[in-house]
Amino acid sequence: MKNSYRLAFLSAFLLWLGWPPIPYTAPLLLVAFVPLLLAVEQLILDGTAKRGRKIFGLAFCTGFLWNTASIYWVYNAISAVMPAYIAVFISLIPFGLAALLMALAFRLYAQLRKRYGLIVSLVGLICFWMSYEYLHQSWDLAFPWMTLGNGFANFHQLIQWYEYTGVYGGTLWIWLCNVLLFLLLRKKLLLKEPLVLPKSIAGFAALVLIPCALSLIRYFTYEEHVNPSNVVVVQPNVDPYAKWTMPITEQVDQLIALSRTKAQSNTEFFIWPESAIPERPPGVNEEEIRSNTNYLDIRQFLDDYRNGNVLSGIESMLIYDTLATPSAQKLERLSKYIDVFNAAVLIDNSSKVQFYHKSKLVPGVEQLPFASLSFLKPLFAAFGGSTGSYGRQAHPTVFYAQSGIGAAPVICYESIWGNYVAQYVKDGAQFIAIVTNDAWWGNTSGKSQHLDYAKLRAIENRRWVARSANTGISAFINQRGDIVAKTKWWEPAALKADINLNEAITFYTATGDYIAYVACIGCLVYLVLLVGTLRRQQ
């Protein structure tokens, strides 16, 4: 059993080593699960007592170590607003939950092995795993940061075919390579059977190299249709913990000043980061924004840029006479209801103002998971969250400039949802504007991972990404996923680029996460088989 845990630790180490932002190590993911699969198989072949529980434990150990090593930076954001011992406990929740779901996939695989053959069971394992990943982007505890297909974000030249499959194509490829190598090593190491080496190596090499070769061909031959638009992204570098104690007008003045350093007469978009337009809580009243001082200053700034638009993050609110939405809270002193939003706004030279309310809210911080569990609100509030204070909208909103250009206002955490970002593009977005604030995590790998994941959205949709981050890393990413310009961490800056707008729709944009849907159907079929088998045995 000790050897089994050594193999589990080896898998965790390889998964971490292959994960962003470590450069050019992503191919390790193609073999990283093999030690764990061999450890599990050894327990099955030996007929170990209570092997189902032991397999669960091995998989949980691998998942927990991998997640903790890769997203340790979650602790930084939490420890800034609460005591260290509580921060440690809360940080363990995303690590442990993901590991629990991963281990459950292996536990179900062990059940399949009791009743079905190896190949059938391995297909079931892949379906269970991909269904876990889809669940982890769909439910109220969503945190799809560690979806396997994200792992190639730092070696994007090898996954240009994500324009057809999205990140779930990457998850499937990783698992197929791991399973094939496992089958070869199982035969040699565990069953002590001879291998036909040329054929075995050729099969595995083909599965690895053919997708890479096709991707590299696509990467080096891809040409963007020339349709330029001048865009400026701004990085004000405001300490998020001191933001609300700083003079409001000073922050807007800084954003305008930085914008002017890169602005041209033909600049069409100025992208400012998440919550860039400040207002004392609960935020700017959307219905009264045209009389807001910040709005008037921005309009005055845009007078110098006839086709200019400011696309910015903003804290906003709406007031209702009745309980209009589930997230609205009652204002007792006014006998009215209020919704507060982490929002984006588009301001141009007309009187039109467009708003988008962030849809993918961070569990426990921006929303209470499973709203029916209202008794948990005091607990989350005690842990420093703003639970219950943010409203949301169900579907994305494309911002349209007066010139007709469509921009996708993607707010922070939303940029890791491929299918959601693709919906913007289907609705007419010609480029993707990501507004974010990664300063909560400090100078850790979290900010770099978040930037790398934006490259995946560029490839999936073949759209430029203009990324404005409060304290870094702001960047421009082209349609191949190349970072063509970026800022440094923790310094005020502005960048400009002539990006190419695109109206073409990729296969992935049109179809979404179809691979995950098929895997979920497969998962349901396997679960029915398991339940049916259990009933027959009773």
Side-chain angles (χ1 to χ4, degrees):
M1 191 63 186
K2 288 183 179 179
N3 187 56
S4 296
Y5 274 100
R6 291 192 188 99
L7 291 172
F9 293 156
L10 178 57
S11 278
F13 176 74
L14 292 173
L15 287 164
W16 166 76
L17 192 60
W19 204 253
I22 302 174
Y24 307 117
T25 57
L28 289 174
L29 300 176
L30 301 176
V31 300
F33 283 104
V34 172
L36 177 61
L37 288 169
L38 288 171
V40 168
E41 187 66 11
Q42 188 65 64
L43 292 176
I44 292 173
L45 293 177
D46 290 347
T48 305
K50 298 180 179 179
R51 59 183 176 274
R53 295 180 184 178
K54 293 177 180 178
I55 289 170
F56 182 93
L58 284 176
F60 181 86
C61 181
T62 296
F64 186 80
L65 291 174
W66 169 38
N67 275 263
T68 303
S70 299
I71 54 174
Y72 65 91
W73 44 262
V74 170
Y75 170 81
N76 285 40
I78 299 172
S79 63
V81 295
M82 64 185 65
Y85 69 94
I86 297 178
V88 170
F89 173 75
I90 297 299
S91 299
L92 293 178
I93 293 176
F95 310 151
L97 180 60
L100 186 67
L101 294 171
M102 294 175 188
L104 179 60
F106 274 87
R107 182 68 179 85
L108 291 171
Y109 164 70
Q111 289 298 114
L112 283 176
R113 287 296 304 277
K114 292 180 180 179
R115 299 162 179 83
Y116 301 98
L118 176 61
I119 301 301
V120 171
S121 300
L122 286 169
V123 173
L125 172 60
I126 296 173
C127 289
F128 293 144
W129 183 280
M130 296 183 71
S131 296
Y132 133 67
E133 289 189 341
Y134 186 71
L135 170 67
H136 216 25
Q137 78 165 34
S138 306
W139 64 340
D140 275 11
L141 290 174
F143 191 71
W145 202 276
M146 300 300 290
T147 298
L148 269 179
N150 291 341
F152 274 86
N154 211 20
F155 207 163
H156 64 281
Q157 295 87 350
L158 301 185
I159 43 89
Q160 294 292 306
W161 39 270
Y162 275 22
E163 67 178 313
Y164 298 99
T165 70
V167 294
Y168 287 104
T171 295
L172 181 60
W173 182 43
I174 289 168
W175 266 113
L176 289 176
C177 290
N178 275 278
V179 164
L180 179 56
L181 184 58
F182 158 69
L183 290 173
L184 296 177
L185 293 178
R186 173 183 181 269
K187 189 173 184 181
K188 178 67 176 178
L189 299 178
L190 301 182
L191 301 182
K192 308 300 183 182
E193 296 178 3
L195 285 177
V196 182
L197 284 179
K199 289 184 178 180
S200 301
I201 294 174
F204 179 73
L207 185 57
V208 172
L209 296 178
I210 290 176
C212 292
L214 293 174
S215 180
L216 289 171
I217 292 171
R218 180 62 168 160
Y219 177 79
F220 288 112
T221 60
Y222 181 82
E223 294 183 3
E224 297 184 8
H225 174 67
V226 178
N227 184 13
S229 176
N230 187 260
V231 177
V232 171
V233 297
V234 177
Q235 180 174 299
N237 202 49
V238 175
D239 187 334
Y241 300 104
K243 181 179 181 67
W244 306 114
T245 64
M246 297 172 60
I248 291 175
T249 55
E250 180 181 307
Q251 295 180 53
V252 174
D253 289 345
Q254 181 192 23
L255 289 161
I256 291 174
L258 285 168
S259 298
R260 288 191 187 279
T261 63
K262 298 295 182 180
Q264 300 176 179
S265 59
N266 66 336
T267 298
E268 295 188 89
F269 283 89
F270 299 92
I271 314 295
W272 296 355
E274 183 180 14
S275 303
I277 299 178
E279 189 70 28
R280 301 301 179 205
V284 178
N285 189 332
E286 294 182 10
E287 295 179 347
E288 299 176 356
I289 190 171
R290 291 171 185 82
S291 61
N292 181 273
T293 301
N294 292 324
Y295 170 80
L296 295 173
D297 289 343
I298 292 169
R299 281 293 305 275
Q300 184 177 8
F301 159 67
L302 289 174
D303 285 343
D304 295 333
Y305 309 97
R306 185 169 58 88
N307 294 322
N309 303 265
V310 168
L311 191 162
S312 175
I314 187 172
E315 293 277 341
S316 68
M317 68 171 178
L318 286 172
I319 298 176
Y320 319 115
D321 292 327
T322 60
L323 186 60
T325 67
S327 57
Q329 301 174 56
K330 191 169 184 179
L331 291 173
E332 296 292 348
R333 59 187 177 84
L334 298 176
S335 296
K336 293 181 180 292
Y337 294 85
I338 184 173
D339 249 335
V340 179
F341 304 102
N342 184 353
V345 64
L346 187 74
I347 300 172
D348 59 25
N349 276 306
S350 73
S351 60
K352 183 179 180 181
V353 182
Q354 301 172 57
F355 285 96
Y356 163 68
H357 303 143
K358 184 179 180 183
S359 173
K360 304 298 182 183
L361 301 176
V362 181
V365 177
E366 296 179 326
Q367 69 159 340
L368 174 68
F370 311 111
S372 60
L373 303 180
S374 58
F375 65 91
L376 290 177
K377 284 187 178 182
L379 176 63
F380 278 98
F383 287 160
S386 54
T387 296
S389 65
Y390 281 124
R392 64 195 297 178
Q393 65 182 65
H395 303 287
T397 296
V398 177
F399 285 163
Y400 285 98
Q402 286 181 286
S403 61
I405 297 174
V410 179
I411 303 175
C412 191
Y413 183 59
E414 293 180 318
S415 64
I416 56 176
W417 269 265
N419 200 32
Y420 189 75
V421 175
Q423 187 61 53
Y424 283 105
V425 177
K426 281 201 290 188
D427 290 347
Q430 295 161 282
F431 78 98
I432 298 166
I434 297 177
V435 297
T436 186
N437 179 15
D438 297 341
W440 306 108
W441 312 330
N443 190 14
T444 65
S445 59
K447 70 180 190 307
S448 301
Q449 288 172 354
H450 202 193
L451 171 64
D452 287 336
Y453 292 171
K455 296 191 288 186
L456 303 177
R457 307 292 85 82
I459 295 168
E460 289 167 345
N461 302 285
R462 295 303 181 187
R463 294 294 190 272
W464 273 73
V465 174
R467 189 176 194 269
S468 173
N470 174 35
T471 52
I473 304 169
S474 302
F476 284 105
I477 302 170
N478 68 18
Q479 295 171 21
R480 297 190 306 176
D482 300 323
I483 297 176
V484 298
K486 67 178 182 178
T487 62
K488 295 180 180 179
W489 165 258
W490 204 258
E491 65 177 33
L495 298 172
K496 69 176 178 181
D498 288 322
I499 70 173
N500 281 321
L501 305 175
N502 190 12
E503 296 181 359
I505 300 296
T506 68
F507 184 83
Y508 173 75
T509 301
T511 57
D513 293 328
Y514 64 94
I515 293 178
Y517 305 152
V518 172
C520 289
I521 293 172
C523 176
L524 291 175
V525 171
Y526 276 103
L527 289 176
V528 169
L529 289 175
L530 283 176
V531 171
T533 304
L534 290 173
R535 285 183 175 178
R536 286 194 298 270
Q537 290 179 346
Q538 291 176 351

